[in-house]
Structure formats: C-alpha cells, structure tokens
Amino acid sequence: MQQVLMTGAAGGIGTLLRPILPRLKVRMRLSDLADAIPQAEPGEDWMPGDLTNPADAARLVAGCDAILHFGGISTENRADLIHEVNVKGTYTLYEAARKAGVRRILFASSNHVIGFHPRETRLDADSEIRPDSMYGVSKAYGEALARYYWHKFGIESLILRIGSCFPQPKDRRMMATWMSKEDMLRLIGAMLFAPRLGCPVVYGVSNNRESWWDNSKTAYLGWVPQDSSEMFATKFADYVPNDPNDPAILYQGGNFAKAGHFED
Ligand code: NAI
Ligand code: 15L
C-alpha cells in the first residue's frame, strides 16, 4: 500500500476531501501548520510542519511514495509573503522529496496562471501562461519547478490548474470553473495509480456545460470528470449580464485579473 503525504490538509480542499480519502486505499499522512490542524477524526494520521522549514519538510516526506501538495497561500497577497510560502515552501518540499526518493507529486496550481486569457479563448495544456496576480506568478514558478524535477530527476508531477474547488459554485463565473470534490478524488486516484504519469498540465474542472479549458491532451490518464455545475444553475437564474469589458468578466481569472497590485 502506498504512503501518501497531503500538505495543506486543514484547508478548504483538504476539509472537503478528508472524509472521502479512505476510498483511495492508501496510507494518508495529513499535514498542515501546527496551529491549523483540526481535531483528528478516527483513523487520521496528522503530522504538523511548516513547508518553508527544510527539517520539517524532510520529516513530512520521509517514507512517502507520493505527495499531494495543497499547502500554501491560496489567494492574492503581499509578494514577500507569497514568495516565502509558495515559492520557497514549494522548492523546500520538492528538494525534500528528491532527497527522500518520492516518485510522484500532485502540485496544486491554479487557473490564475492563465487568468489573463479572455473567456472566449479555449485553452489547453500548451497554452501560454498569463498570470493575473502575484499568486498566479508563484503558481507558474511551481509549475516550472515541477517540470525541472521531472526532466532533471524523473520525479513525476501532475500540474493541476484547479478552477474552483468548493462545495458549490459561489458566483456566476464558477459555473465554468467549478470542480467537485468527487472529481478531485477521481483525479487523485488517476494520478496515484496511472502506469505512467509524466508531468502533464491538467485543468481541474468538472464536466461543466460552460467551459474554457480542454483536457484532451491528457486523456491518457483516464480521468473523466463526472459532475457538472449545471445542478446549481438555478442559483444564478437572476444573473443579468452587465459590462462585457469589465476585467472581472472579460478575463478567465475574474476578480483576480481585476484586482489591484499589493505594494511592498
Ligand atoms: P486554503 O487556503 O484553504 O488551504 C491552504 C492550507 O495551506 C491552509 O490550511 C494553510 O494553513 C496551509 N499552509 C499555508 N502556509 C503553510 C506552510 N508554510 N506550511 C504548511 N502549510 C501551510 O486553500 P485551498 O482552497 O484548500 O486550496 C489548496 C491548494 O489548492 C492551494 O495551494 C491553492 O492555491 C490551490 N488552489 C485551490 C483552489 C480552490 O478552488 N480551492 C483553486 C486553485 C488552486
Ligand atoms: C484559486 O486559485 C483560489 O485558491 C480559490 O480560492 C479560488 O479563488 C479559485 O482560484 C477561483 O479562481 O475560483
């Protein structure tokens, strides 16, 4: 049975996944910052650690076959904070993984790596990156890092550009970007058990009727999302289109593309 580490397990996605992770039938080590760790549920194995600390990272990855790397700053913030956690923390984790002989990593990237593409452009795994925020820039670094560890050391990574993984879409934009927890779990299963993973870019999105992203280049993984945001369509039945040139509407990144820059 595989030993798998999940970082950021106390966060939103970790909280959605925790109850269904046992279906993967792997030994799961859940990790987060010490003061973020919740009350453990029966059978859960929690290990605190700060990803920016090399000694912590080495302890977290020891004995692991694979890592689900969800830990980090998940929205726009000051560049220095983003660098410390998302750049230094991700590098520290990949270095620890290399030294410990970990073979596979899921890197939780974000749609904000490509957030400055207009919504009428259909993107695939080879589309140009256009980060819409310092947060998106830090995820582009993580994607490049994953590629480096693949070509240099043969460590496989799933570069997962997550759309919006929440219990349900929170706004009209998320009708296109929503990803269910069940589709996330199916994708993690595909990533852990594929005969060959390589280092693909996958858009983390359910089978929504409205869609900006094309995953056909990674069909070899056998991941076919089963859910759709359509079941929430009535929530937005009263939505009235307004200014099509509002950056929050024009661009795929929505409010991240519209927001200002955090100055140092
Ligand atoms: P979240 O903000 O709810 O959880 C992130 C977790 O990382 C937190 O529990 C936090 O304590 C932990 N963390 C922060 N700094 C850390 C450090 N130095 N060491 C160890 N742990 C640390 O984020 P969420 O929504 O659960 O997202 C998980 C990942 O997926 C993030 O990397 C985020 O950027 C990415 N993502 C999420 C999306 C979503 O729709 N939820 C969309 C796109 C990307
Ligand atoms: C993200 O990258 C964020 O982590 C998440 O909180 C959402 O804002 C998501 O993108 C989104 O674009 O909806």
Side-chain angles (χ1 to χ4, degrees), residues 37-161:
I37 290 184
Q39 178 75 40
E41 293 297 325
E44 284 185 345
D45 168 20
W46 282 93
M47 192 183 280
D50 184 336
L51 295 166
T52 64
N53 179 325
D56 282 11
R59 194 170 38 78
L60 295 178
V61 304
C64 288
D65 304 293
I67 299 173
L68 311 176
H69 178 36
F70 286 96
I73 295 178
S74 62
T75 51
E76 183 63 322
N77 210 315
R78 275 175 24 214
D80 58 334
L81 298 178
I82 298 254
H83 284 150
E84 176 67 12
V85 180
N86 289 7
V87 174
K88 182 179 169 196
T90 301
Y91 170 73
T92 303
L93 186 73
Y94 266 82
E95 263 304 270
R98 177 182 70 78
K99 290 177 186 159
V102 176
R103 302 309 307 162
R104 269 186 195 183
I105 300 176
L106 181 156
F107 171 60
S109 186
S110 169
N111 69 87
H112 296 291
V113 165
I114 46 78
F116 262 133
H117 282 278
R119 295 189 184 185
E120 59 268 37
T121 309
R122 190 159 175 80
L123 304 181
D124 69 15
D126 296 319
S127 296
E128 174 195 334
I129 62 164
R130 290 192 191 174
D132 59 19
S133 49
M134 287 313 297
Y135 165 69
V137 169
S138 76
K139 293 295 184 181
Y141 169 85
E143 294 194 359
L145 196 72
R147 288 254 161 87
Y148 172 78
Y149 278 83
W150 165 233
H151 292 294
K152 188 75 100 178
F153 306 112
I155 298 174
E156 298 178 291
S157 285
L158 177 74
I159 296 171
L160 178 57
R161 289 184 184 160

Side-chain angles (χ1 to χ4, degrees), residues 2 31 51 60 66 71 104 109 115 129-130 140-141 172 175 179 193-194 203 206 215 217 219 224:
Q2 292 197 56
S31 181
L51 295 166
L60 295 178
R104 269 186 195 183
S109 186
I129 62 164
R130 290 192 191 174
Y141 169 85
R172 180 64 183 77
M175 288 300 287
M179 181 186 204
F193 300 114
Y203 290 86
S206 281
N215 275 326
K217 286 180 175 159
V224 182

